[in-house]
Amino acid sequence: MQPFLQQLCIILAVVLVAPLIGGLLNGVDRILTARLQGRYGPPLLQPFYDVIKLIGKERITVNSTQMLYVITSLFFAVLSLVMFALRQDLLMIVFVLAFSHIALIIGAMSVRSPYSKIGAQREIIQMMAYEPVIVLMVVGIYLITGSFMIDSVYAHPSQLALRLPLVFLAFLYVLTIKLRKSPFDLSTSHHGHQELIKGLTTEFSGLQLAVIELTHWYELVLLLGMITLFFAQPVVVYGIPIWIGGLVALGAFVFEIIIDNICARTSLAWMLKMTWLAGLGAAVTNIIWLYLATGR
Amino acid sequence: MQANIILAALILLPALSALLCLVFRSKVIRTPLVILTTLLMAAASGYLIYAVVGANGNLKLDLPESIFAIIGWVIKAVDLTVLAYIIFRGVRARRFTSPILAVMQLVVLLALQAFGNVIEPAQPLTIDFLSLTLILLASIIGPLILVFAIGYMEEHEAHLHLVKSRQPRFFAILFLFLCVMNALAMADNLLWMYTFWEVTTLCSFLLIGHDETDEANRNAFRTLDLNMIGGVAFILAISIIWHNQHTIAMTDIVRMPLAGHFGGFFAVAIALLCLAGFTKSAQFPFQSWLLGAMVAPTPVSALLHSSTMVKAGVYLLVRLSPVITESTLGTIVAFAGGFTFMAASAIAISQSNGKRVLAYSTIANLGLIVCCAGIGTQVALGSAILLIIFHAISKGMLFLCIGTIEQGIGSRDIEDMQGLLKRMPYTTFIAVIGMISMLLPPFGVLMTKWLAIESSVHYPLVLLLIILGSAFSVVFWGKWIGIILTMSYKAKYLYEKLRPTMSVTLMIFLVGVVTASCAIAPLFNFLVSPQLKAGYDGLLLSAGDGGLWLSNGSSLPVGGIYAVPLFLILFAVVAAIPAFISRTRPERVKPPYFGGELANNDIRGIDFIGPGDKVEQVIVHNYYMTNIFGEKRLSIWASLIALATILVMFGVTLFGVTL
Amino acid sequence: MSIMRNSRIKSPWIVHFDCNSCNGCDIETLACLTPMYDVERFGIINVGNPKHADILLVTGSANYRNARVLRNIYNQMPEPKAVVAIGVCACTGGIFRECYNVLGGIDQVIPVDVYVPGCSPKPEAIIDGVVLALEVLGKKEHPVATETEHEEVEHTQYA
């Protein structure tokens, strides 16, 4: 197949299949949460019912530009996932994802609602908290593979996580923030919980909320994809290669759900302090170790 | 022939216009004069590009030696006049720091001229691609800002109820500044560069004090004081370099890298030049003058304090980059720049005065340029020059927007800009694009931040500072964009009435910002790449396929991005805006949720029924977090650390360690 | 059964408003969310925000003051929506019917689809009521044609 055609197939596959995976993972999230709480939980396909119902709601809005921001956010989230699938520059993927977040934040701030605005402010502070850690993760990968392109991760002979353990742990730490799970679900919380009513997403309804849901699904797939980068090489057991990257990603997801159900929400100041102390500290330690080990 | 055209259009023309503005004080003559000068300077810049490309990046202005000698004497006279005037103004205002510094400069200068037997370089005016970049900024953006100022100053003086217009003085000094800025970019002779440097300081002083209020005068003198420190450093550096290396031509100095050599007098001189650059570009601990300079009228802030004058400082550092790269001095400069980037971005979070936010952002971006110049690899230098270009355009545009907004709503506070989209949609749209261009991919400033991160990987502390600064800058831009786009539903948008010079200039800037970022690949290949002849540390920057790419010698890229496809998506989004806005019908609009007690179903979302059936207003402000990012707290710490860095810098160069 | 109708029935999001209830019905309503009764099996989530909700659960009777608030919340809900009046106070005014400030049940203010009487009704009854509301919701038309269903807004002047 010509490379362009192959790329087009990859893009289509990603755009169409990723939300399905994201939705199923969300469904698993809700069932697991319910079982941990001693409940029965909704059916597995519940997130899909939710999104379809939201699409069918009346199209109300609070101002004229909300839909625009939400769709921009979706576009750029999809774009960053597509870039990831096409194995582009990892640092740029992080920045394009940041664009998606900013679009949502601006959309939330464009409404004159205190819940929405305060949620947006908290979301901005959250971005400030986790962005350094993620960029350091990318830099750590660069220090080992010598390239920012994702190709080089797959070409590298050993598992990245063996030399980036602290960076991996820091990434798990900020994954909690990005997935909006306790203890860091400060700007808006996911289903079943409320924070600032619905915080960032309070004034979005119907189709707009469905688009935000889809954005979260694409982002979930992207984040789990980033985890697989740490375990990119298959482990051969009895002659069968097992792609443990995917397994670790699912494991991390389950871990996040468990943490969500154990912890209470923290305050903004605490989150900022702990993310920088623990998350940034761990990542910086790892980078310095790498820097000293590989030499200049 | 070439030399004459270039000199005439880029240096003599603005000087002539300055004179004409002072002589013919009427607006009827001034307006066409400004527009004519703008067009002529733009044409000259175009011709200059052609000439520099033709000369392969090494255009020397070939004037007869006698002319250069005459110019030399004129410049000496200008030196003395400027310093004498500064002493006079300082003494008259009873502020003695500047006169003392001016006397110091005078002493060193006279000693050098009298006893140094200085031989001036034969080719004092040369233009390579870096000079070309600065000249393009000063000759295209500069006059455009002057065109904007035509409309802006009308309004400004009407606000102040001035009986006698002070615009002739204003425009004259601005034209003089443009003339000197172009000359500075062309100067290869360090003594000439020093003179032009001091004249820009003087212009800045005169323009900040233009409104002649107490605050303006105080800030003008602070500018003078801090910039004069740089001037003293500059002239001292020239003296040391002359005695040490017997040359004062920049092209010679650039060929003497410090890496691997012992420290000594030459290294100290380079450190002094770096210090001069720091003062001119308002790095910590010298940042207070740029913040005080925000009292000046907006065109001054846009032209001097974001696009051109402060770029002179980083221009010097980028010029010196081949000298300091890979040495301890370079690492310290990189740290100083990165630290400024982080500290200024942090303080900007706590500011609610729009112009102060822009000022801190300028300081931060200048810090990033300094940082890249200190690192000095091919990628870092490319990033520095690109950032000079993109920052100048975007920040200039943002300052013009905030000037327009300030005249529109009477306030520069960010909190008062809520709902601006409805009152001033044209300006808001342009301001938002400007802010987005400072913050997000695929615009140029973010690309340079990406490049800076990719090039500073081997300096972990500097890397951390850049990353933190980048995270902070997202916060204050995001907050501002959010507030400015706050709106409740309104069926019709106000048709904004702006003076034609202002609105046309803003549109030209907008087109410039978008085009420059879209065309980043040709821009890089054309203007920046030829300048980057230095060897690479394994990473090579190139442009093509509509994007920028990093490679390390093998055929596969190590990092890169297609900028153009991202822009296409962005254009699609922007084009869809009117469609979205028109689709909203009034019956679909609901008020925001306030727990159910909106007054009269107020869809604006402002009136709330409080206890006792009283109507309260809902006011939501941004977080400013002054207890963490407060200006006083952070400024003191940042200034101390920066001062320590500078002392370390001098210590390292003075005490003869291996650099 | 179209996909849309199916999804609407399988994913009802509720917002709960207490008019002037003694909180007895509220406790029973919120008990439905606990593991004992677990209404999330039906996909029900308590979103606190009328803009996200399909079903409005109201407890307590309507009085002059909370009539404005109730109408406000009802208006902010996008179609299709259903209202469930929980407890006899919400249905008819209940034990407070004769008070000077009470207007009666909430059907004096907004259209009600399901009445769940009781003081206070058991969670099983409340769940039955919500399931009935789901049937009503499923029968509602696609919201495109519902321009006429908007509630009249009373413009009251305030001091």
Side-chain angles (χ1 to χ4, degrees):
Chain A
M1 266 207 283
Q2 304 160 18
F4 174 67
L5 209 55
Q6 195 177 34
Q7 286 193 338
L8 197 59
C9 287
I10 294 179
I11 295 177
L12 274 175
V14 159
V15 170
L16 295 174
V17 171
L20 297 176
I21 300 178
L24 281 174
L25 283 172
N26 259 3
V28 166
D29 179 350
R30 285 177 66 173
I31 295 179
L32 200 55
T33 308
R35 297 295 160 89
L36 281 171
Q37 293 171 356
R39 298 186 285 117
Y40 200 68
L44 183 65
L45 297 179
Q46 186 63 36
F48 297 106
Y49 297 137
D50 289 338
V51 168
I52 298 175
K53 174 210 74 173
L54 283 172
I55 294 176
K57 293 282 270 186
E58 181 192 2
R59 307 268 173 95
I60 65 171
T61 184
V62 182
N63 67 28
S64 338
T65 50
Q66 271 179 300
M67 190 59 174
L68 178 72
Y69 298 120
V70 169
I71 290 209
T72 310
S73 178
L74 178 67
F75 261 7
F76 278 90
V78 172
L79 183 68
S80 62
L81 185 58
V82 162
M83 282 169 74
F84 187 84
L86 291 177
R87 305 199 174 173
Q88 298 292 308
D89 185 321
L90 199 50
L91 197 53
M92 265 333 251
I93 292 176
V94 169
F95 285 132
V96 172
L97 196 62
F99 196 143
S100 162
H101 279 290
I102 294 271
L104 183 61
I105 289 173
I106 295 174
M109 278 190 79
S110 74
V111 182
R112 283 187 198 272
S113 156
Y115 305 112
S116 199
K117 277 190 182 265
I118 297 182
Q121 300 286 317
R122 288 187 182 181
E123 180 75 14
I124 294 185
I125 309 287
Q126 276 177 221
M127 271 190 85
M128 178 172 85
Y130 66 61
E131 203 177 299
V133 177
I134 297 193
V135 174
L136 276 177
M137 171 188 98
V138 173
V139 168
I141 295 180
Y142 172 78
L143 279 175
I144 296 183
T145 63
S147 163
F148 284 96
M149 305 298 267
I150 299 181
D151 280 327
S152 65
V153 172
Y154 289 102
H156 195 76
S158 65
Q159 306 282 22
L160 283 182
L162 291 174
R163 301 178 66 187
L164 288 174
L166 292 178
V167 166
F168 181 64
L169 288 177
F171 186 65
L172 284 185
Y173 197 92
V174 300
L175 194 63
T176 320
I177 306 179
K178 295 202 81 143
L179 291 180
R180 309 189 194 288
K181 301 242 175 254
S182 299
F184 300 134
D185 54 344
L186 290 161
S187 69
T188 178
S189 191
H190 59 126
H191 295 309
H193 306 282
Q194 297 179 26
E195 167 75 0
L196 294 174
I197 313 281
K198 277 303 202 174
L200 198 60
T201 57
T202 308
E203 303 297 336
F204 296 102
S205 67
L207 185 58
Q208 297 163 358
L209 198 59
V211 170
I212 295 181
E213 260 316 286
L214 275 176
T215 314
H216 287 327
W217 292 354
Y218 279 107
E219 217 185 292
L220 177 63
V221 174
L222 177 61
L223 291 168
L224 293 181
M226 284 191 191
I227 294 185
T228 65
L229 284 181
F230 284 93
F231 294 91
Q233 305 305 320
V235 171
V236 181
V237 172
Y238 298 125
I240 310 170
I242 304 181
W243 299 86
I244 65 171
L247 291 175
V248 172
L250 285 174
F253 187 61
V254 170
F255 174 68
E256 293 295 337
I257 297 173
I258 296 177
I259 294 283
D260 182 32
N261 281 297
I262 298 176
C263 298
R265 221 169 265 151
T266 61
S267 70
L268 198 63
W270 203 93
M271 178 206 77
L272 194 57
K273 262 185 264 182
M274 284 314 289
T275 308
W276 278 11
L277 265 173
L280 207 58
V284 168
T285 311
N286 206 151
I287 301 271
I288 293 182
W289 164 45
L290 270 178
Y291 173 71
L292 291 173
T294 58
R296 178 67 153 75
Chain B
M1 189 58 205
Q2 272 182 352
N4 296 341
I5 298 180
I6 295 172
L7 266 186
L10 293 176
I11 299 184
L12 296 177
L13 175 60
L16 180 65
S17 302
L19 204 58
L20 288 175
C21 277
L22 276 178
V23 169
F24 298 106
R25 306 181 80 85
S26 116
K27 189 179 73 159
V28 171
I29 299 192
R30 194 168 51 240
T31 308
L33 178 67
V34 171
I35 297 181
L36 189 62
T37 313
T38 308
L39 293 169
L40 285 174
M41 283 180 85
S45 316
Y47 180 73
L48 184 64
I49 298 177
Y50 166 70
V52 172
V53 170
N56 241 343
N58 201 353
L59 182 66
K60 294 191 197 299
L61 288 185
D62 241 333
L63 291 173
E65 222 183 278
S66 51
I67 303 269
F68 280 139
I70 295 178
I71 300 179
W73 282 110
V74 167
I75 288 186
K76 289 182 184 44
V78 167
D79 262 335
L80 295 174
T81 323
V82 165
L83 289 172
Y85 181 70
I86 291 177
I87 296 175
F88 163 66
R89 285 296 296 267
V91 169
R92 190 176 74 167
R94 309 194 98 45
R95 306 177 80 100
F96 295 104
T97 323
S98 323
I100 293 176
L101 290 170
V103 164
M104 283 168 69
Q105 288 188 38
L106 211 51
V107 164
V108 177
L109 182 63
L110 288 174
L112 182 64
Q113 298 286 32
F115 304 118
N117 296 323
V118 177
I119 304 174
E120 314 238 331
Q123 299 281 358
L125 294 177
T126 63
I127 304 178
D128 62 359
F129 281 100
L130 182 59
S131 305
L132 177 63
T133 308
L134 205 63
I135 293 176
L136 285 178
L137 289 179
S139 307
I140 301 184
I141 299 181
L144 271 178
I145 295 180
L146 257 74
V147 172
F148 177 90
I150 298 176
Y152 180 89
M153 290 308 282
E154 288 283 321
E155 192 70 37
H156 184 75
E157 297 198 326
H159 269 262
L160 292 175
H161 305 296
L162 278 186
V163 172
K164 181 163 171 260
S165 170
R166 302 191 70 224
Q167 287 186 50
R169 171 188 187 270
F170 187 76
F171 280 93
I173 303 178
L174 278 176
F175 272 124
L176 178 66
F177 168 76
L178 285 181
C179 151
V180 169
M181 196 67 209
N182 279 329
L184 198 157
M186 293 186 203
D188 194 42
N189 179 338
L190 272 182
L191 272 176
W192 289 21
M193 194 190 281
Y194 161 75
T195 308
F196 301 138
W197 187 279
E198 287 302 297
V199 175
T200 58
T201 305
L202 183 67
C203 289
S204 181
F205 165 73
L206 291 171
L207 285 170
I208 294 174
H210 177 79
D211 282 335
E212 288 187 338
T213 59
D214 277 336
E215 194 190 2
N217 282 329
R218 199 175 51 237
N219 285 315
F221 274 101
R222 190 183 320 168
T223 304
L224 201 57
D225 295 343
L226 287 171
N227 276 304
M228 294 296 270
I229 297 179
V232 170
F234 207 135
I235 192 70
L236 269 177
I238 298 178
S239 310
I240 298 176
I241 292 178
W242 171 251
H243 280 111
N244 202 282
Q245 304 287 346
H246 290 287
T247 173
I248 53 169
M250 188 57 103
T251 35
D252 292 335
I253 294 171
V254 164
R255 292 201 200 105
M256 306 176 197
L258 283 177
H261 293 185
F262 282 110
F265 280 114
F266 181 62
V268 175
I270 300 292
L272 281 169
L273 282 178
C274 292
L275 181 67
F278 286 174
T279 56
K280 182 67 82 180
S281 296
Q283 305 292 290
F284 281 86
F286 308 110
Q287 84 285 7
S288 54
W289 76 259
L290 189 56
L291 295 159
M294 292 296 125
V295 301
T298 302
V300 174
S301 305
L303 181 55
L304 266 73
H305 303 134
S306 66
S307 301
T308 36
M309 188 184 95
V310 291
K311 295 284 189 289
V314 292
Y315 164 80
L316 182 62
L317 278 157
V318 170
R319 273 253 177 259
L320 289 175
S321 179
V323 180
I324 62 177
T325 179
E326 311 235 341
S327 69
T328 318
L329 182 57
T331 313
I332 298 176
V333 167
F335 173 80
F339 181 75
T340 299
F341 178 55
M342 184 205 74
S345 299
I347 299 180
I349 296 179
S350 67
Q351 297 301 303
S352 75
N353 179 332
K355 265 183 122 176
R356 281 181 96 87
V357 172
L358 289 179
Y360 273 114
S361 167
T362 304
I363 297 174
N365 279 296
L366 291 171
L368 191 57
I369 302 175
V370 167
C371 178
C372 289
I375 297 176
T377 59
Q378 197 244 15
V379 178
L381 261 186
S383 164
I385 302 178
L386 280 174
L387 188 53
I388 289 179
I389 302 173
F390 287 121
H391 178 254
I393 313 179
S394 292
K395 200 46 82 59
M397 183 169 91
L398 276 172
F399 268 109
L400 295 185
C401 287
I402 202 180
T404 316
I405 293 174
E406 188 183 353
Q407 284 186 342
I409 62 174
S411 159
R412 348 176 132 156
D413 197 310
I414 296 180
E415 296 300 329
D416 294 329
M417 294 185 198
Q418 291 204 37
L420 204 60
L421 187 57
K422 284 188 295 178
R423 272 180 289 173
M424 306 174 69
Y426 180 77
T427 313
T428 309
F429 176 70
I430 295 182
V432 168
I433 300 281
M435 291 183 217
I436 289 182
S437 76
M438 295 289 304
L439 173 65
L440 293 174
F443 287 96
V445 176
L446 183 101
M447 303 290 262
T448 60
K449 262 189 230 166
W450 163 69
L451 281 176
I453 293 178
E454 299 209 339
S455 69
S456 66
V457 167
H458 295 293
Y459 300 80
L461 189 53
V462 172
L463 174 70
L464 188 63
L465 290 172
I466 296 180
I467 292 177
L468 285 178
S470 177
F472 289 144
S473 64
V474 168
V475 175
F476 66 79
W477 286 124
K479 282 192 301 167
W480 197 349
I481 302 176
I483 282 252
I484 214 175
L485 289 177
T486 302
M487 54 179 277
S488 20
Y489 174 74
K490 188 169 178 173
K492 276 205 286 233
Y493 286 82
L494 211 63
Y495 174 65
E496 190 180 347
K497 285 174 72 173
L498 275 182
R499 290 164 191 266
T501 47
M502 289 164 75
S503 52
V504 167
T505 323
L506 284 176
M507 179 52 71
I508 298 178
F509 264 100
L510 179 68
V511 170
V513 165
V514 176
T515 317
S517 293
C518 264
I520 192 173
L523 191 70
F524 178 79
N525 280 330
F526 195 53
L527 264 186
V528 181
S529 178
Q531 182 73 21
L532 306 175
K533 296 174 233 123
Y536 60 96
D537 68 338
L539 273 186
L540 200 62
L541 180 59
S542 62
D545 287 338
L548 288 177
W549 300 97
L550 285 178
S551 63
N552 62 355
S554 66
S555 59
L556 288 173
V558 160
I561 177 69
Y562 293 103
V564 173
L566 278 175
F567 266 108
L568 291 175
I569 296 183
L570 211 55
F571 287 151
V573 165
V574 169
I577 293 178
F580 278 107
I581 292 185
S582 64
R583 274 166 58 109
T584 316
R585 304 209 304 268
E587 34 311 341
R588 292 271 177 82
V589 173
K590 305 280 182 189
Y593 178 63
F594 284 169
E597 272 279 35
L598 274 128
N600 291 343
N601 242 351
D602 172 28
I603 59 168
R604 293 176 311 146
I606 296 183
D607 288 335
F608 178 85
I609 309 288
D613 273 355
K614 203 161 75 82
V615 176
E616 311 264 355
Q617 296 241 307
V618 177
I619 301 174
V620 188
H621 284 172
N622 278 342
Y623 281 9
Y624 290 105
M625 292 184 285
T626 44
N627 56 338
I628 310 179
F629 295 111
E631 187 177 10
K632 285 214 170 43
R633 260 187 87 218
L634 280 190
S635 287
I636 296 180
W637 281 107
S639 299
L640 283 174
I641 296 179
L643 194 59
T645 313
I646 293 179
L647 290 174
V648 167
M649 184 169 81
F650 280 109
V652 160
T653 49
L654 263 174
F655 295 112
V657 299
T658 313
L659 288 171
Chain C
M1 265 232 291
S2 70
I3 300 183
M4 183 59 71
R5 199 165 150 250
N6 204 12
S7 298
R8 278 201 198 125
I9 295 178
K10 283 186 182 282
S11 160
W13 287 357
I14 63 173
V15 61
H16 160 237
F17 183 62
D18 170 0
C19 281
N20 69 357
S21 163
C22 67
N23 295 331
C25 296
D26 300 313
I27 295 173
E28 301 296 332
T29 309
L30 294 175
C32 295
L33 296 169
T34 60
M36 185 76 155
Y37 299 99
D38 189 24
V39 287
E40 206 190 347
R41 292 176 285 154
F42 304 118
I44 295 179
I45 303 179
N46 184 13
V47 294
N49 181 6
K51 291 206 176 67
H52 294 179
D54 306 298
I55 303 183
L56 176 61
L57 300 181
V58 191
T59 58
S61 52
N63 59 35
Y64 291 99
R65 194 183 168 122
N66 65 32
R68 305 192 299 255
V69 180
L70 187 56
R71 214 174 273 131
N72 204 323
I73 295 183
Y74 181 75
N75 285 335
Q76 287 187 25
M77 289 171 68
E79 295 284 345
K81 53 193 173 186
V83 179
V84 179
I86 296 182
V88 71
C89 291
C91 298
T92 59
I95 198 171
F96 302 111
R97 194 189 167 85
E98 305 298 328
C99 289
Y100 61 91
N101 62 332
V102 169
L103 289 171
I106 59 168
D107 52 8
Q108 304 294 315
V109 181
I110 56 177
V112 175
D113 296 294
V114 177
Y115 296 87
V116 182
C119 182
S120 49
K122 289 177 57 138
E124 287 89 340
I126 298 174
I127 295 176
D128 275 349
V130 174
V131 169
L132 260 181
L134 290 179
E135 283 181 30
V136 172
L137 205 58
K139 291 209 195 79
K140 293 218 168 169
E141 290 287 314
H142 196 275
V144 173
T146 53
E147 297 297 328
T148 52
E149 285 198 32
H150 281 232
E151 188 68 12
E152 274 299 307
V153 173
E154 206 180 85
H155 288 277
T156 326
Q157 294 309 307
Y158 298 110

